[in-house]
Protein backbone atom coordinates (compact mmCIF):
# COMPACT_ATOMS: atom_id res chain seq x y z
CA UNK A 1 0.00 0.00 0.00
CA UNK A 2 1.24 3.51 -0.73
CA UNK A 3 1.69 5.60 2.40
CA UNK A 4 0.40 2.92 4.78
CA UNK A 5 -0.62 4.34 8.17
CA UNK A 6 -3.67 4.11 10.40
CA UNK A 7 -6.38 6.64 9.65
CA UNK A 8 -8.28 7.81 12.72
CA UNK A 9 -11.23 10.13 12.82
CA UNK A 10 -12.52 12.01 15.84
CA UNK A 11 -14.35 14.66 13.87
CA UNK A 12 -13.94 14.36 10.12
CA UNK A 13 -11.61 12.93 7.52
CA UNK A 14 -11.32 13.58 3.82
CA UNK A 15 -10.04 10.70 1.73
CA UNK A 16 -8.92 9.79 -1.76
CA UNK A 17 -6.94 6.59 -1.33
CA UNK A 18 -4.68 4.79 -3.79
CA UNK A 19 -4.11 1.08 -3.18
CA UNK A 20 -1.04 -0.33 -4.93
CA UNK A 21 -1.56 -3.91 -3.71
CA UNK A 22 -4.79 -4.03 -5.71
CA UNK A 23 -2.78 -3.75 -8.90
CA UNK A 24 -0.49 -6.57 -7.79
CA UNK A 25 -3.41 -8.82 -6.85
CA UNK A 26 -4.88 -8.26 -10.27
CA UNK A 27 -1.53 -8.86 -11.96
CA UNK A 28 -1.34 -5.39 -13.50
CA UNK A 29 2.14 -4.41 -14.52
CA UNK A 30 3.28 -0.95 -13.37
CA UNK A 31 3.74 0.33 -16.91
CA UNK A 32 0.13 -0.59 -17.73
CA UNK A 33 -1.07 1.19 -14.62
CA UNK A 34 0.85 4.32 -15.60
CA UNK A 35 -0.68 4.23 -19.06
CA UNK A 36 -4.15 4.05 -17.54
CA UNK A 37 -3.52 7.20 -15.51
CA UNK A 38 -3.49 9.16 -18.74
CA UNK A 39 -6.75 7.64 -19.94
CA UNK A 40 -9.87 9.74 -19.31
CA UNK A 41 -11.93 6.70 -18.34
CA UNK A 42 -9.55 5.73 -15.52
CA UNK A 43 -8.56 7.28 -12.21
CA UNK A 44 -5.30 5.56 -11.41
CA UNK A 45 -5.69 1.80 -11.86
CA UNK A 46 -9.47 1.90 -11.41
CA UNK A 47 -11.75 2.17 -14.43
CA UNK A 48 -14.52 4.73 -13.99
CA UNK A 49 -18.13 3.97 -14.97
CA UNK A 50 -18.55 3.52 -18.72
CA UNK A 51 -22.14 4.80 -18.71
CA UNK A 52 -23.72 7.69 -16.80
CA UNK A 53 -27.47 8.23 -16.64
CA UNK A 54 -29.23 11.45 -17.57
CA UNK A 55 -32.08 12.08 -15.15
CA UNK A 56 -33.34 15.61 -15.83
CA UNK A 57 -37.01 16.17 -16.58
CA UNK A 58 -36.00 17.10 -20.10
CA UNK A 59 -34.61 13.58 -20.50
CA UNK A 60 -37.92 11.92 -19.53
CA UNK A 61 -40.56 13.50 -21.80
CA UNK A 62 -44.28 12.95 -21.18
CA UNK A 63 -46.13 14.31 -24.25
CA UNK A 64 -49.38 12.55 -23.41
CA UNK A 65 -52.32 13.24 -21.10
CA UNK A 66 -52.28 14.68 -17.58
CA UNK A 67 -54.63 12.65 -15.38
CA UNK A 68 -55.69 13.78 -11.90
CA UNK A 69 -56.17 11.12 -9.22
CA UNK A 70 -57.94 12.17 -6.03
CA UNK A 71 -57.86 10.46 -2.64
CA UNK A 72 -60.28 7.53 -2.62
CA UNK A 73 -60.05 6.94 -6.35
CA UNK A 74 -58.55 3.70 -7.68
CA UNK A 75 -54.84 4.43 -8.12
CA UNK A 76 -54.09 0.90 -9.31
CA UNK A 77 -56.62 1.21 -12.12
CA UNK A 78 -55.13 4.56 -13.09
CA UNK A 79 -51.67 2.98 -13.29
CA UNK A 80 -53.03 0.09 -15.35
CA UNK A 81 -54.81 2.45 -17.76
CA UNK A 82 -51.94 4.93 -18.16
CA UNK A 83 -50.44 5.11 -21.62
CA UNK A 84 -46.82 5.80 -22.43
CA UNK A 85 -46.31 9.55 -22.27
CA UNK A 86 -49.00 10.16 -19.61
CA UNK A 87 -48.61 11.94 -16.28
CA UNK A 88 -50.59 10.82 -13.24
CA UNK A 89 -50.99 13.64 -10.74
CA UNK A 90 -51.85 12.35 -7.27
CA UNK A 91 -53.67 14.77 -4.99
CA UNK A 92 -51.15 16.68 -2.90
CA UNK A 93 -51.61 16.07 0.83
CA UNK A 94 -53.71 12.95 0.24
CA UNK A 95 -52.88 9.36 1.24
CA UNK A 96 -53.19 6.44 -1.17
CA UNK A 97 -53.25 3.20 0.81
CA UNK A 98 -52.59 -0.14 -0.80
CA UNK A 99 -50.08 -2.27 -2.68
CA UNK A 100 -49.45 -0.89 -6.16
CA UNK A 101 -48.03 -2.83 -9.09
CA UNK A 102 -46.46 -1.04 -12.05
CA UNK A 103 -46.89 -3.17 -15.18
CA UNK A 104 -44.82 -3.54 -18.30
CA UNK A 105 -45.86 -1.19 -21.11
CA UNK A 106 -44.40 -0.51 -24.59
CA UNK A 107 -42.77 2.78 -23.51
CA UNK A 108 -39.53 4.26 -24.79
CA UNK A 109 -37.13 7.14 -24.13
CA UNK A 110 -39.54 9.62 -25.78
CA UNK A 111 -42.60 8.43 -23.85
CA UNK A 112 -42.23 8.03 -20.09
CA UNK A 113 -44.96 7.64 -17.49
CA UNK A 114 -44.66 10.06 -14.58
CA UNK A 115 -46.44 9.53 -11.26
CA UNK A 116 -46.17 12.67 -9.15
CA UNK A 117 -47.74 14.96 -6.61
CA UNK A 118 -50.32 17.35 -8.01
CA UNK A 119 -48.50 20.23 -6.31
CA UNK A 120 -47.19 22.71 -8.87
CA UNK A 121 -43.50 22.62 -9.68
CA UNK A 122 -42.83 25.81 -7.71
CA UNK A 123 -44.24 24.19 -4.54
CA UNK A 124 -41.58 21.46 -4.70
CA UNK A 125 -37.83 21.93 -4.51
CA UNK A 126 -36.29 22.69 -7.88
CA UNK A 127 -34.60 19.95 -9.85
CA UNK A 128 -31.20 18.99 -8.42
CA UNK A 129 -32.32 20.12 -4.95
CA UNK A 130 -32.78 17.74 -2.01
CA UNK A 131 -36.37 17.22 -0.88
CA UNK A 132 -36.64 17.15 2.93
CA UNK A 133 -39.58 16.18 5.18
CA UNK A 134 -40.42 19.91 5.33
CA UNK A 135 -42.42 19.27 2.16
CA UNK A 136 -44.53 16.72 4.05
CA UNK A 137 -45.24 19.21 6.82
CA UNK A 138 -42.57 17.79 9.16
CA UNK A 139 -40.27 20.40 10.71
CA UNK A 140 -37.80 18.04 12.42
CA UNK A 141 -37.00 14.42 13.26
CA UNK A 142 -35.16 13.52 16.51
CA UNK A 143 -31.42 13.19 16.08
CA UNK A 144 -31.37 14.24 12.42
CA UNK A 145 -29.67 17.31 10.97
CA UNK A 146 -31.61 20.57 10.90
CA UNK A 147 -33.92 20.55 7.88
CA UNK A 148 -33.70 24.35 7.60
CA UNK A 149 -37.30 24.57 6.42
CA UNK A 150 -38.02 27.79 4.57
CA UNK A 151 -41.70 26.88 4.85
CA UNK A 152 -43.64 23.90 6.18
CA UNK A 153 -46.53 22.57 4.15
CA UNK A 154 -47.57 19.11 3.05
CA UNK A 155 -47.38 19.18 -0.72
CA UNK A 156 -46.50 15.51 -1.21
CA UNK A 157 -48.86 12.67 -2.08
CA UNK A 158 -48.41 9.78 0.37
CA UNK A 159 -48.33 6.19 -0.94
CA UNK A 160 -48.66 3.89 2.07
CA UNK A 161 -48.54 0.12 2.45
CA UNK A 162 -51.61 -0.82 4.49
CA UNK A 163 -51.14 -4.57 5.01
CA UNK A 164 -48.80 -7.31 6.27
CA UNK A 165 -46.83 -7.67 3.06
CA UNK A 166 -43.17 -8.58 2.75
CA UNK A 167 -42.64 -5.66 0.37
CA UNK A 168 -44.45 -2.60 -0.93
CA UNK A 169 -46.26 -0.28 -1.42
CA UNK A 170 -44.56 -0.09 -4.85
CA UNK A 171 -43.74 -3.18 -6.88
CA UNK A 172 -42.50 -3.26 -10.47
CA UNK A 173 -43.78 -6.18 -12.51
CA UNK A 174 -41.49 -8.08 -14.84
CA UNK A 175 -40.41 -5.83 -17.70
CA UNK A 176 -41.74 -2.58 -16.19
CA UNK A 177 -39.95 0.35 -17.76
CA UNK A 178 -39.82 4.12 -18.18
CA UNK A 179 -41.47 5.18 -14.93
CA UNK A 180 -40.54 8.35 -13.05
CA UNK A 181 -41.83 9.11 -9.53
CA UNK A 182 -41.77 12.72 -8.26
CA UNK A 183 -42.88 14.41 -5.05
CA UNK A 184 -44.19 11.35 -3.21
CA UNK A 185 -43.94 10.16 0.39
CA UNK A 186 -43.52 6.37 0.30
CA UNK A 187 -43.96 4.48 3.57
CA UNK A 188 -45.69 1.70 5.54
CA UNK A 189 -48.45 1.78 8.13
CA UNK A 190 -48.97 -1.54 9.97
CA UNK A 191 -47.14 -1.51 13.34
CA UNK A 192 -45.13 -4.45 14.73
CA UNK A 193 -44.71 -5.91 11.25
CA UNK A 194 -41.27 -6.96 10.01
CA UNK A 195 -40.95 -6.24 6.30
CA UNK A 196 -38.31 -5.94 3.62
CA UNK A 197 -38.33 -3.28 0.89
CA UNK A 198 -40.67 -0.38 0.22
CA UNK A 199 -39.83 -0.44 -3.50
CA UNK A 200 -38.66 -3.46 -5.49
CA UNK A 201 -39.38 -5.70 -8.49
CA UNK A 202 -42.40 -7.85 -7.66
CA UNK A 203 -40.75 -11.11 -8.71
CA UNK A 204 -37.26 -11.90 -7.38
CA UNK A 205 -36.42 -13.25 -10.85
CA UNK A 206 -38.07 -10.33 -12.67
CA UNK A 207 -36.50 -7.31 -14.31
CA UNK A 208 -37.30 -3.62 -14.61
CA UNK A 209 -35.50 -0.81 -16.37
CA UNK A 210 -35.46 2.94 -16.89
CA UNK A 211 -36.76 3.99 -13.49
CA UNK A 212 -36.17 7.38 -11.87
CA UNK A 213 -36.90 8.19 -8.24
CA UNK A 214 -36.86 11.97 -7.96
CA UNK A 215 -37.47 14.17 -4.89
CA UNK A 216 -39.14 11.53 -2.71
CA UNK A 217 -39.31 10.88 1.02
CA UNK A 218 -39.06 7.14 1.69
CA UNK A 219 -39.23 6.01 5.29
CA UNK A 220 -40.08 3.21 7.65
CA UNK A 221 -41.48 3.78 11.13
CA UNK A 222 -39.43 4.82 14.13
CA UNK A 223 -39.45 1.51 16.04
CA UNK A 224 -40.45 -1.17 13.53
CA UNK A 225 -38.26 -3.28 11.29
CA UNK A 226 -38.15 -2.06 7.69
CA UNK A 227 -35.17 -3.60 5.90
CA UNK A 228 -34.72 -1.24 2.98
CA UNK A 229 -36.05 1.61 0.90
CA UNK A 230 -35.25 0.70 -2.72
CA UNK A 231 -34.07 -2.74 -3.83
CA UNK A 232 -32.24 -2.63 -7.15
CA UNK A 233 -31.92 -6.35 -7.84
CA UNK A 234 -32.96 -7.18 -11.40
CA UNK A 235 -32.97 -3.54 -12.54
CA UNK A 236 -31.00 -1.53 -15.06
CA UNK A 237 -30.85 2.19 -15.89
CA UNK A 238 -32.06 3.45 -12.52
CA UNK A 239 -31.61 6.94 -11.08
CA UNK A 240 -32.22 7.89 -7.44
CA UNK A 241 -31.83 11.64 -6.98
CA UNK A 242 -32.60 14.44 -4.52
CA UNK A 243 -34.49 12.10 -2.15
CA UNK A 244 -34.67 11.59 1.61
CA UNK A 245 -34.52 8.13 3.26
CA UNK A 246 -35.12 7.59 6.99
CA UNK A 247 -35.86 4.84 9.52
CA UNK A 248 -34.55 1.73 7.82
CA UNK A 249 -33.34 -0.66 10.48
CA UNK A 250 -33.10 -4.30 11.57
CA UNK A 251 -33.78 -5.08 15.23
CA UNK A 252 -31.15 -6.97 17.23
CA UNK A 253 -32.10 -10.28 18.88
CA UNK A 254 -35.84 -10.13 18.16
CA UNK A 255 -35.81 -9.03 14.51
CA UNK A 256 -35.92 -11.06 11.31
CA UNK A 257 -33.19 -9.31 9.29
CA UNK A 258 -29.52 -8.54 9.92
CA UNK A 259 -28.67 -5.88 7.35
CA UNK A 260 -30.80 -2.83 6.59
CA UNK A 261 -30.12 -0.31 3.84
CA UNK A 262 -31.58 2.78 2.28
CA UNK A 263 -30.56 1.33 -1.12
CA UNK A 264 -29.40 -2.20 -1.91
CA UNK A 265 -28.75 -4.46 -4.87
CA UNK A 266 -26.14 -6.74 -6.37
CA UNK A 267 -27.79 -10.17 -6.24
CA UNK A 268 -29.67 -12.37 -8.67
CA UNK A 269 -28.96 -13.60 -12.14
CA UNK A 270 -29.80 -10.52 -14.23
CA UNK A 271 -27.38 -7.72 -15.17
CA UNK A 272 -27.48 -4.63 -12.96
CA UNK A 273 -26.63 -1.02 -13.70
CA UNK A 274 -25.96 1.60 -14.67
CA UNK A 275 -27.12 3.29 -11.47
CA UNK A 276 -27.10 6.96 -10.49
CA UNK A 277 -27.37 7.72 -6.76
CA UNK A 278 -26.85 11.47 -6.42
CA UNK A 279 -27.71 14.15 -3.84
CA UNK A 280 -29.71 12.02 -1.40
CA UNK A 281 -29.97 11.77 2.39
CA UNK A 282 -29.52 8.04 3.06
CA UNK A 283 -30.20 6.75 6.57
CA UNK A 284 -30.08 3.10 7.61
CA UNK A 285 -28.76 1.26 10.64
CA UNK A 286 -26.92 -1.42 8.66
CA UNK A 287 -25.48 0.23 5.55
CA UNK A 288 -26.80 3.30 3.77
CA UNK A 289 -25.81 1.64 0.49
CA UNK A 290 -24.91 -1.98 -0.12
CA UNK A 291 -24.24 -4.01 -3.26
CA UNK A 292 -23.91 -7.77 -2.87
CA UNK A 293 -24.51 -10.00 0.12
CA UNK A 294 -26.94 -12.28 -1.71
CA UNK A 295 -26.78 -15.22 -4.13
CA UNK A 296 -26.02 -14.08 -7.66
CA UNK A 297 -24.34 -14.87 -10.96
CA UNK A 298 -23.69 -11.35 -12.32
CA UNK A 299 -21.97 -8.21 -11.03
CA UNK A 300 -23.71 -4.80 -11.17
CA UNK A 301 -21.57 -2.24 -12.96
CA UNK A 302 -21.32 1.47 -13.76
CA UNK A 303 -22.46 2.82 -10.41
CA UNK A 304 -22.29 6.57 -9.77
CA UNK A 305 -22.65 7.55 -6.08
CA UNK A 306 -22.04 11.28 -5.58
CA UNK A 307 -22.92 14.10 -3.20
CA UNK A 308 -24.98 12.02 -0.77
CA UNK A 309 -25.19 12.23 3.02
CA UNK A 310 -24.89 8.71 4.50
CA UNK A 311 -26.12 9.02 8.07
CA UNK A 312 -27.09 7.23 11.29
CA UNK A 313 -28.72 9.12 14.19
CA UNK A 314 -26.46 8.96 17.24
CA UNK A 315 -29.66 8.34 19.23
CA UNK A 316 -29.57 4.76 17.89
CA UNK A 317 -26.37 4.11 19.89
CA UNK A 318 -27.30 2.32 23.13
CA UNK A 319 -24.91 4.27 25.39
CA UNK A 320 -26.19 7.67 24.30
CA UNK A 321 -28.57 9.88 26.29
CA UNK A 322 -32.04 9.65 24.77
CA UNK A 323 -31.31 6.26 23.18
CA UNK A 324 -34.08 5.27 20.74
CA UNK A 325 -34.42 1.68 19.57
CA UNK A 326 -37.21 -0.81 18.97
CA UNK A 327 -40.40 -0.80 21.03
CA UNK A 328 -39.05 -3.55 23.29
CA UNK A 329 -35.86 -1.58 23.93
CA UNK A 330 -33.66 -3.67 21.60
CA UNK A 331 -31.09 -1.70 19.61
CA UNK A 332 -30.90 -1.61 15.85
CA UNK A 333 -28.08 -3.56 14.16
CA UNK A 334 -25.38 -1.11 13.07
CA UNK A 335 -22.61 -1.99 10.60
CA UNK A 336 -21.16 0.70 8.28
CA UNK A 337 -22.11 3.40 5.77
CA UNK A 338 -21.10 1.82 2.45
CA UNK A 339 -20.44 -1.86 1.82
CA UNK A 340 -19.52 -3.45 -1.50
CA UNK A 341 -19.52 -7.24 -1.79
CA UNK A 342 -20.30 -7.41 -5.52
CA UNK A 343 -19.81 -4.32 -7.69
CA UNK A 344 -17.75 -3.12 -10.63
CA UNK A 345 -16.80 0.34 -11.93
CA UNK A 346 -18.01 2.36 -8.95
CA UNK A 347 -17.43 6.10 -8.57
CA UNK A 348 -17.93 7.17 -4.93
CA UNK A 349 -17.28 10.90 -4.88
CA UNK A 350 -18.07 13.94 -2.77
CA UNK A 351 -20.14 12.14 -0.14
CA UNK A 352 -20.43 12.73 3.61
CA UNK A 353 -20.42 9.61 5.82
CA UNK A 354 -21.56 10.39 9.35
CA UNK A 355 -21.83 8.23 12.49
CA UNK A 356 -21.04 4.55 12.65
CA UNK A 357 -20.02 2.34 15.56
CA UNK A 358 -19.25 -1.27 16.41
CA UNK A 359 -20.79 -3.69 18.85
CA UNK A 360 -22.48 -6.13 16.49
CA UNK A 361 -20.54 -8.02 13.80
CA UNK A 362 -18.35 -5.10 12.67
CA UNK A 363 -16.03 -2.62 14.35
CA UNK A 364 -17.48 0.65 13.09
CA UNK A 365 -15.68 1.21 9.81
CA UNK A 366 -17.30 3.74 7.50
CA UNK A 367 -16.60 1.79 4.30
CA UNK A 368 -16.18 -1.95 3.80
CA UNK A 369 -15.00 -3.39 0.48
CA UNK A 370 -14.98 -7.17 0.62
CA UNK A 371 -15.95 -9.40 -2.33
CA UNK A 372 -18.15 -12.15 -0.93
CA UNK A 373 -19.28 -15.49 -2.31
CA UNK A 374 -22.42 -15.34 -0.18
CA UNK A 375 -23.33 -18.78 1.11
CA UNK A 376 -21.31 -20.31 -1.73
CA UNK A 377 -23.95 -19.07 -4.17
CA UNK A 378 -22.12 -16.15 -5.78
CA UNK A 379 -18.82 -17.55 -7.09
CA UNK A 380 -18.53 -14.75 -9.66
CA UNK A 381 -18.96 -11.97 -7.09
CA UNK A 382 -16.22 -9.37 -7.24
CA UNK A 383 -15.37 -5.87 -6.14
CA UNK A 384 -13.32 -4.20 -8.82
CA UNK A 385 -12.62 -0.73 -10.24
CA UNK A 386 -13.76 1.34 -7.27
CA UNK A 387 -12.81 5.02 -7.09
CA UNK A 388 -13.16 6.78 -3.72
CA UNK A 389 -12.40 10.50 -3.85
CA UNK A 390 -13.22 13.81 -2.16
CA UNK A 391 -15.36 12.24 0.59
CA UNK A 392 -15.72 13.24 4.25
CA UNK A 393 -16.03 10.82 7.19
CA UNK A 394 -17.34 12.04 10.54
CA UNK A 395 -17.53 10.10 13.82
CA UNK A 396 -16.57 6.57 12.77
CA UNK A 397 -15.63 4.29 15.68
CA UNK A 398 -13.57 1.75 13.71
CA UNK A 399 -9.84 1.59 14.42
CA UNK A 400 -9.46 3.01 10.92
CA UNK A 401 -11.98 5.67 10.04
CA UNK A 402 -11.38 5.05 6.38
CA UNK A 403 -12.15 1.93 4.34
CA UNK A 404 -11.69 -1.66 5.45
CA UNK A 405 -10.36 -3.70 2.53
CA UNK A 406 -10.42 -7.48 2.26
CA UNK A 407 -8.43 -8.72 -0.73
CA UNK A 408 -10.23 -12.07 -1.06
CA UNK A 409 -13.80 -13.17 -0.71
CA UNK A 410 -15.08 -14.22 2.65
CA UNK A 411 -17.35 -17.26 2.88
CA UNK A 412 -16.28 -19.81 0.26
CA UNK A 413 -13.31 -17.78 -1.15
CA UNK A 414 -13.20 -17.42 -4.90
CA UNK A 415 -12.50 -13.94 -6.31
CA UNK A 416 -10.45 -10.92 -5.26
CA UNK A 417 -10.59 -7.24 -4.54
CA UNK A 418 -9.16 -5.49 -7.59
CA UNK A 419 -8.24 -2.07 -8.92
CA UNK A 420 -9.21 0.57 -6.41
CA UNK A 421 -8.32 4.18 -5.94
Amino acid sequence: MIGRRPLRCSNSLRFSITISFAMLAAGIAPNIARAQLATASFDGPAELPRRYLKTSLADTPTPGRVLHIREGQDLQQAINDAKCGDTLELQAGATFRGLYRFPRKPCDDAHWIVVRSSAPDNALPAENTLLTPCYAGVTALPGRPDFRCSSVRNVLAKVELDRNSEAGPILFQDGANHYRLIGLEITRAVPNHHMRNLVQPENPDGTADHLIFDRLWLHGTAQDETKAGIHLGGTTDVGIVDSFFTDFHCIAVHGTCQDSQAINGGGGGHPGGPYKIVNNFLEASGESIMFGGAPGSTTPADIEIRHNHLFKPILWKPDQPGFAGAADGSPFIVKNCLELKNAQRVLFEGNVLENTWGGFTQAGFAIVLTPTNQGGQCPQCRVTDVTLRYNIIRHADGQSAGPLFSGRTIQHPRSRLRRHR
Side-chain angles (χ1 to χ4, degrees):
M1 177 182 287
I2 295 174
R4 181 182 178 87
R5 60 187 178 85
L7 300 173
R8 298 187 181 274
C9 175
S10 58
N11 291 308
S12 65
L13 169 72
R14 296 178 183 271
F15 63 89
S16 181
I17 301 174
T18 301
I19 308 298
S20 61
F21 73 71
M23 290 190 293
L24 298 176
I28 299 175
N31 62 330
I32 296 176
R34 283 194 295 269
Q36 290 175 344
L37 287 170
T39 304
S41 60
F42 285 79
D43 186 341
E47 185 179 4
L48 294 168
R50 296 175 185 173
R51 292 184 58 200
Y52 293 89
L53 294 181
K54 295 181 179 180
T55 57
S56 72
L57 286 171
D59 295 310
T60 58
T62 52
R65 304 168 298 172
V66 177
L67 305 172
H68 302 279
I69 316 300
R70 299 191 63 81
E71 189 169 23
Q73 291 183 313
D74 191 338
L75 175 57
Q76 183 64 67
Q77 191 62 52
I79 294 170
N80 293 344
D81 292 344
K83 300 183 183 304
C84 300
D86 285 352
T87 297
L88 303 184
E89 290 194 344
L90 279 55
Q91 180 184 346
T95 299
F96 296 83
R97 296 179 176 90
L99 179 62
Y100 300 103
R101 295 172 171 86
F102 287 67
R104 178 176 185 169
K105 296 176 185 283
C107 300
D108 56 36
D109 289 348
H111 301 83
W112 287 67
I113 295 174
V114 168
V115 180
R116 59 164 293 163
S117 167
S118 66
D121 288 341
N122 61 10
L124 296 171
E127 277 195 271
N128 306 312
T129 304
L130 179 67
L131 180 142
T132 70
C134 303
Y135 292 89
V138 176
T139 58
L141 291 173
R144 277 68 168 195
D146 186 349
F147 296 159
R148 303 184 184 277
C149 301
S150 57
S151 64
V152 180
R153 180 185 170 199
N154 186 7
V155 295
L156 307 184
K158 181 188 290 187
V159 182
E160 183 177 73
L161 181 67
D162 64 350
R163 62 199 71 182
N164 291 333
S165 173
E166 184 180 70
I170 292 178
L171 303 177
F172 291 99
Q173 295 184 324
D174 190 22
N177 65 92
H178 291 89
Y179 286 102
R180 183 182 192 124
L181 309 184
I182 305 174
L184 306 179
E185 178 183 355
I186 301 173
T187 187
R188 39 113 15 123
V190 178
N192 304 314
H193 171 55
H194 297 189
M195 64 169 293
R196 296 183 67 80
N197 311 302
L198 295 181
V199 179
Q200 67 170 52
E202 181 178 28
N203 185 337
D205 295 324
T207 64
D209 62 273
H210 293 85
L211 309 174
I212 296 179
F213 304 94
D214 175 14
R215 289 166 287 170
L216 309 176
W217 181 22
L218 298 96
H219 63 92
T221 51
Q223 295 187 303
D224 294 311
E225 187 170 87
T226 309
K227 185 184 186 301
I230 297 177
H231 175 62
L232 294 172
T235 68
T236 57
D237 297 275
V238 179
I240 304 171
V241 297
D242 306 324
S243 294
F244 212 90
F245 292 69
T246 55
D247 278 314
F248 296 102
H249 25 65
C250 294
I251 301 171
V253 183
H254 303 297
T256 59
C257 64
Q258 297 181 349
D259 284 84
S260 59
Q261 303 88 23
I263 300 168
N264 63 40
H270 297 288
Y275 299 126
K276 177 179 180 177
I277 303 171
V278 173
N279 196 39
N280 303 286
F281 182 89
L282 303 171
E283 174 188 289
S285 66
E287 307 88 10
S288 290
I289 302 173
M290 181 174 179
F291 284 94
S297 58
T298 63
T299 298
D302 302 321
I303 303 170
E304 176 191 7
I305 306 172
R306 296 189 305 113
H307 306 308
N308 302 285
H309 191 171
L310 288 66
F311 183 83
K312 304 182 197 305
I314 202 69
L315 293 178
W316 289 353
K317 192 173 184 182
D319 61 358
Q320 291 295 309
F323 164 70
D328 65 359
S330 298
F332 303 129
I333 299 173
V334 169
K335 294 195 173 180
N336 56 71
C337 295
L338 170 72
E339 184 163 352
L340 301 181
K341 292 184 175 182
N342 188 28
Q344 183 175 14
R345 296 192 299 276
V346 180
L347 173 60
F348 188 78
E349 176 183 76
N351 302 284
V352 175
L353 302 87
E354 185 169 4
N355 299 336
T356 187
W357 52 91
F360 296 92
T361 61
Q362 296 185 12
F365 291 90
I367 298 174
V368 177
L369 308 180
T370 174
T372 303
N373 180 8
Q374 199 77 25
Q377 298 183 65
C378 193
Q380 301 303 317
C381 281
R382 66 190 65 196
V383 177
T384 181
D385 297 294
V386 178
T387 300
L388 312 174
R389 62 191 187 191
Y390 317 129
N391 299 284
I392 299 172
I393 294 175
R394 296 179 179 140
H395 311 298
D397 282 0
Q399 290 184 348
S400 167
L404 170 66
F405 298 96
S406 174
R408 293 180 181 271
T409 58
I410 59 174
Q411 300 185 34
H412 312 279
R414 182 67 179 267
S415 78
R416 297 188 178 197
L417 179 72
R418 304 182 181 210
R419 296 192 298 277
H420 296 75
R421 176 177 173 84

